Amino acid sequence: MLKDGKYAAWFRTSHGGQGTGIVHLAQGRISGSDSFFTYGGSYQVDQDRFTAVLTTRRHTDGMPTVFGPDEVEVNLSGICTGAMATCSGHANEAPEVLFEATLIYSQNEVPATDAKCAVVKLKPDKLPKAMDSRSRPRPPRVPGPSKSPLT
């Protein structure tokens, strides 16, 4: 079943275009972005199968879209197996281009304030007495006399 949450998205087309982005799914709504485009749309789930309508809109000048036009509406269908979903479809504006995407569910990370950290106490009398060759400071380089290419 397709879960609500954040997904890493990898997409590719039959014409060799590909890219990555982040997609958020929540209660039938799609939102997300990559370096150049924002995504929106909706989806419906029926057990392990889903359908979606995805729209794209450019937010930053740069790389061309994998479809050609910047703003497209893509009709997708796919399956979800555990933490991964795959889908494919076509944009209405570029029906000759097959679009495929793989979505990988991203678990929420533990906020830093809740994370458990190990504290290591060092005893000064147990530290090494001398530095080894890897940590020995190097003497400063003294420039030699410069040679003129003409002499």
Side-chain angles (χ1 to χ4, degrees):
M1 173 120 175
L2 200 58
K3 299 179 190 180
D4 283 2
K6 180 172 74 170
Y7 290 79
W10 175 55
F11 48 89
R12 59 209 164 275
T13 70
S14 56
H15 291 198
Q18 63 178 334
T20 60
I22 299 294
V23 177
H24 297 271
L25 303 180
Q27 301 173 355
R29 303 296 307 156
I30 301 170
S31 62
S33 65
D34 61 29
S35 299
F36 305 103
F37 294 90
T38 57
Y39 317 125
S42 61
Y43 66 96
Q44 294 180 332
V45 178
D46 182 13
Q47 295 182 17
D48 66 340
R49 300 204 173 275
F50 67 94
T51 58
V53 176
L54 177 73
T55 58
T56 65
R57 178 173 295 235
R58 182 177 288 279
H59 63 75
T60 301
D61 288 338
M63 299 289 293
T65 175
V66 295
F67 295 105
D70 284 350
E71 296 184 12
V72 296
E73 183 176 281
V74 187
N75 294 298
L76 300 164
S77 61
I79 59 169
C80 182
T81 54
M84 191 176 312
T86 57
C87 58
S88 62
H90 298 274
N92 296 337
E93 296 77 7
E96 73 285 357
V97 179
L98 174 64
F99 178 83
E100 298 176 304
T102 300
L103 305 176
I104 302 168
Y105 184 72
S106 217
Q107 297 289 337
N108 290 336
E109 295 179 17
V110 176
T113 56
D114 294 343
K116 304 278 187 210
C117 297
V119 176
V120 177
K121 292 185 180 182
L122 300 175
K123 296 180 180 179
D125 61 326
K126 299 290 182 186
L127 294 175
K129 301 288 186 222
M131 292 191 256
D132 66 13
S133 63
R134 294 173 294 180
S135 58
R136 186 175 308 132
R138 296 179 189 245
R141 293 186 111 189
V142 178
S146 65
K147 293 184 180 179
S148 170
L150 301 175
T151 57

